[in-house]
Amino acid sequence: MPPVFRFAPSPNGYLHLGHAFSALLNADLALASGGRLLLRIEDIDRTRCRPEFEQAIYEDLAWLGIAWDGEVRRQSDHLEVYREAVARLSAKGLIYPAFESRAEIARLVADKETVAPWPRDPDGAPHYPGIGKQLSAEKRAELIAAGVPYALRLDMAAALALAGELSWQEFGCGPEGETGSIAARPEAWGDVIIARKETPTSYHLSVVIDDALQGVTEVVRGADLFWSTSVHRLLQHLLGLPAPVYRHHDLVRDAEGRKLSKSTGATGLRELRAAGVSPLDIRTMVGLAAAV
Ligand code: GLU
């Protein structure tokens, strides 16, 4: 079976050189292996995603000369699929609602840190410090009925007890040069958020479901997502989904060595295009050879 790659941008800003590198690398690898390249729009965050950014993704990819196979999959069109997966995890007793607001969580962590450092996930966010897991079924039902916002969190201890040891095949490398067979460390994330009251999914959940539904066999993406793969492997296992192989690539950095952000004007593809830079120049700028 030919491999299936995907480029999965979020339309919460304009694409920059980092996206161009990821998209071109996916396209090059698909071409070189006789595989397919799919496009997925990761737009579950309705507060930050906008139709004009989605439109710009199509324009920028076309300008770069990247064509994708088949229909574009837009995550916001598939919320029911994610809801059903949450229900399956919930039926296994692996999900609980947590009602603390972000501000309450920050306060709880600050309190705990007066005594000792509180664990943080690989992105630097504190592990969930609240009491959601201990609430009775009656209390949960009462708070939900009262309309209190909540996040549905994965009971990591219970999930790990079910899953045991997991690993993934890495053809690229992680932030510390990790490559080959990588032992997943989902516990590093604590009780991750799987969905929210107003959004029936999360990045982690949608990405594993979509990769499976789209038949993706090779995930090629930035090294900033390397350790997220631990959570992805766990969810794949819990939901009975196949595991693709992974190729995490270096991030394109700005002159000061910082990761590019959506607002980095100087590295925005639209700005570069307007300044007369060609798609071939972009390949050179991100360190890819002229053609495969
Ligand atoms: N949507 C994510 C982003 O824009 C990429 C997700 C992925 O490749 O797994 O950073």
XYZ file of all heavy atoms in Angstrom, residues 126-165:
290
model
N 1.061 23.406 33.799
C 1.009 22.566 35.004
C 0.043 21.398 34.851
O -0.982 21.529 34.186
C 0.505 23.535 36.085
C -0.107 24.680 35.352
C 0.552 24.765 34.016
N 0.371 20.287 35.473
C -0.586 19.174 35.532
C -1.838 19.644 36.271
O -1.775 20.548 37.103
C 0.025 17.996 36.287
C 1.024 17.224 35.470
N 1.454 15.974 35.807
C 1.668 17.532 34.315
C 2.324 15.532 34.908
N 2.479 16.476 33.997
N -2.934 18.980 35.982
C -4.204 19.348 36.612
C -4.101 19.165 38.137
O -3.775 18.066 38.608
C -5.312 18.458 36.047
C -6.634 18.620 36.736
C -7.288 19.856 36.736
C -7.239 17.544 37.393
C -8.503 20.004 37.378
C -8.457 17.687 38.029
C -9.083 18.921 38.028
O -10.283 19.070 38.661
N -4.367 20.248 38.890
C -4.211 20.160 40.341
C -5.543 20.003 41.089
O -5.575 20.006 42.319
C -3.625 21.546 40.671
C -4.297 22.451 39.662
C -4.595 21.632 38.436
N -6.648 19.888 40.352
C -7.973 20.026 40.982
C -8.534 18.738 41.553
O -7.851 17.711 41.651
N -9.830 18.814 41.896
C -10.465 17.709 42.621
C -11.513 16.975 41.777
O -12.314 16.202 42.299
C -11.145 18.227 43.912
C -12.111 19.385 43.570
C -10.105 18.681 44.940
C -13.204 19.592 44.587
N -11.507 17.257 40.439
C -12.541 16.672 39.572
C -12.712 15.170 39.720
O -13.832 14.659 39.745
N -11.599 14.479 39.838
C -11.653 13.017 39.886
C -12.360 12.510 41.145
O -12.940 11.422 41.149
C -10.211 12.501 39.843
C -10.063 11.119 39.276
C -8.622 10.903 38.852
C -8.024 9.693 39.504
N -6.660 9.430 39.028
N -12.302 13.312 42.206
C -12.892 12.849 43.480
C -14.378 13.164 43.610
O -15.027 12.696 44.545
C -12.173 13.504 44.678
C -10.800 12.922 44.967
C -9.698 13.754 44.327
O -9.633 14.954 44.518
N -8.853 13.123 43.537
N -14.929 13.980 42.728
C -16.337 14.377 42.898
C -17.261 13.180 42.689
O -17.006 12.327 41.840
C -16.707 15.477 41.894
C -16.002 16.826 42.045
C -16.480 17.782 40.949
C -16.242 17.424 43.426
N -18.354 13.168 43.442
C -19.336 12.082 43.299
C -20.118 12.276 41.998
O -20.169 13.382 41.445
C -20.306 12.096 44.478
O -21.071 13.291 44.413
N -20.736 11.198 41.551
C -21.563 11.276 40.339
C -22.673 12.317 40.531
O -23.002 13.066 39.606
C -22.153 9.904 40.033
N -23.230 12.390 41.758
C -24.317 13.353 42.036
C -23.803 14.785 41.912
O -24.455 15.636 41.319
C -24.877 13.167 43.462
C -25.626 11.866 43.714
C -24.706 10.650 43.779
O -23.534 10.800 44.203
O -25.136 9.548 43.374
N -22.641 15.035 42.493
C -22.073 16.391 42.459
C -21.779 16.794 41.008
O -22.059 17.924 40.596
C -20.785 16.418 43.304
C -20.202 17.794 43.499
C -21.096 18.668 44.372
C -20.628 20.105 44.411
N -21.619 21.003 44.989
N -21.224 15.865 40.238
C -20.936 16.165 38.823
C -22.221 16.515 38.091
O -22.278 17.516 37.367
C -20.280 14.950 38.144
C -18.864 14.716 38.588
C -18.309 13.423 37.996
N -16.966 13.184 38.535
C -16.299 12.055 38.422
N -16.821 11.032 37.769
N -15.094 11.925 38.931
N -23.243 15.693 38.293
C -24.519 15.916 37.599
C -25.105 17.265 38.002
O -25.635 18.009 37.167
C -25.487 14.778 37.917
N -24.963 17.590 39.278
C -25.517 18.855 39.793
C -24.810 20.056 39.148
O -25.459 21.006 38.693
C -25.311 18.853 41.311
C -25.857 20.041 42.066
C -25.298 20.034 43.509
O -25.318 18.951 44.153
O -24.819 21.106 43.954
N -23.492 19.994 39.069
C -22.731 21.109 38.485
C -23.015 21.239 36.985
O -23.149 22.348 36.455
C -21.229 20.919 38.738
C -20.797 21.070 40.200
C -19.363 20.576 40.405
C -20.903 22.531 40.652
N -23.114 20.101 36.309
C -23.403 20.144 34.865
C -24.793 20.734 34.651
O -24.983 21.617 33.805
C -23.270 18.732 34.235
C -21.778 18.340 34.205
C -23.872 18.696 32.819
C -21.486 16.921 33.773
N -25.761 20.294 35.459
C -27.139 20.811 35.335
C -27.177 22.313 35.618
O -27.978 23.045 35.028
C -28.068 20.054 36.279
N -26.296 22.780 36.497
C -26.270 24.217 36.833
C -25.562 25.031 35.747
O -25.463 26.252 35.848
C -25.578 24.405 38.181
N -25.044 24.356 34.724
C -24.425 25.075 33.597
C -22.989 25.485 33.846
O -22.437 26.311 33.109
N -22.343 24.927 34.873
C -20.942 25.286 35.142
C -20.056 24.721 34.012
O -20.191 23.553 33.652
C -20.477 24.687 36.504
C -19.010 25.034 36.775
C -21.371 25.168 37.637
N -19.174 25.562 33.437
C -18.285 25.049 32.376
C -17.346 23.972 32.924
O -17.010 23.994 34.107
C -17.470 26.268 31.948
C -18.149 27.451 32.535
C -18.936 26.981 33.722
N -16.966 23.056 32.065
C -16.055 21.998 32.519
C -15.174 21.539 31.359
O -15.484 21.781 30.189
C -16.836 20.797 33.079
C -17.820 20.197 32.105
C -17.425 19.232 31.180
C -19.150 20.626 32.089
C -18.326 18.700 30.275
C -20.064 20.104 31.182
C -19.642 19.144 30.280
O -20.527 18.632 29.365
N -14.091 20.889 31.741
C -13.233 20.196 30.762
C -13.342 18.714 31.078
O -13.394 18.330 32.246
C -11.798 20.670 30.915
N -13.408 17.892 30.033
C -13.385 16.445 30.250
C -11.935 16.005 30.192
O -11.249 16.235 29.195
C -14.210 15.728 29.178
C -15.711 15.999 29.248
C -16.429 15.331 28.079
C -16.304 15.509 30.575
N -11.463 15.429 31.280
C -10.051 15.043 31.377
C -9.886 13.535 31.359
O -10.766 12.807 31.827
C -9.443 15.628 32.662
C -9.290 17.142 32.590
C -8.614 17.694 33.833
N -8.380 19.122 33.705
C -7.259 19.686 33.228
N -6.246 18.927 32.861
N -7.152 21.001 33.144
N -8.746 13.121 30.832
C -8.422 11.693 30.819
C -7.871 11.315 32.191
O -6.972 11.982 32.702
C -7.360 11.433 29.745
C -7.002 9.977 29.494
C -8.183 9.229 28.860
C -5.787 9.873 28.575
N -8.413 10.268 32.766
C -7.858 9.738 34.020
C -6.590 8.972 33.639
O -6.642 7.803 33.243
C -8.906 8.828 34.678
C -8.411 8.245 35.992
O -7.173 8.190 36.198
O -9.257 7.815 36.797
N -5.461 9.672 33.714
C -4.215 9.119 33.174
C -3.824 7.825 33.882
O -3.382 6.871 33.226
C -3.099 10.176 33.270
C -1.802 9.806 32.625
S -1.933 9.350 30.859
C -2.008 10.940 30.044
N -4.004 7.780 35.195
C -3.612 6.558 35.928
C -4.425 5.368 35.426
O -3.879 4.287 35.164
C -3.802 6.772 37.425
N -5.731 5.579 35.249
C -6.595 4.478 34.787
C -6.251 4.105 33.345
O -6.215 2.923 32.984
C -8.062 4.900 34.896
N -5.972 5.112 32.525
C -5.639 4.848 31.116
C -4.336 4.070 31.008
O -4.225 3.113 30.236
C -5.539 6.171 30.351
N -3.350 4.456 31.831
C -2.049 3.767 31.788
C -2.184 2.325 32.267
O -1.550 1.420 31.717
C -1.029 4.496 32.663
C -0.553 5.849 32.149
C 0.332 6.532 33.188
C 0.219 5.686 30.836
N -3.038 2.118 33.260
C -3.236 0.760 33.777
C -3.812 -0.131 32.677
O -3.468 -1.304 32.565
C -4.155 0.791 34.993
N -4.669 0.438 31.826
C -5.249 -0.335 30.721
C -4.245 -0.555 29.595
O -4.220 -1.611 28.971
C -6.430 0.440 30.115
C -7.829 0.158 30.612
C -8.825 0.946 29.772
C -8.123 -1.334 30.506
N -3.456 0.473 29.325
C -2.629 0.451 28.113
C -1.272 -0.220 28.299
O -0.749 -0.830 27.368
C -2.421 1.872 27.603
N -0.685 -0.104 29.458
C 0.679 -0.627 29.641
C 1.694 0.163 28.816
O 1.456 1.325 28.477
N 2.805 -0.470 28.491
C 3.890 0.209 27.764
C 3.517 0.413 26.300
O 3.041 -0.515 25.649
C 5.160 -0.642 27.809
C 5.678 -0.938 29.203
C 6.395 0.269 29.802
O 7.303 0.776 29.130
O 6.015 0.689 30.919
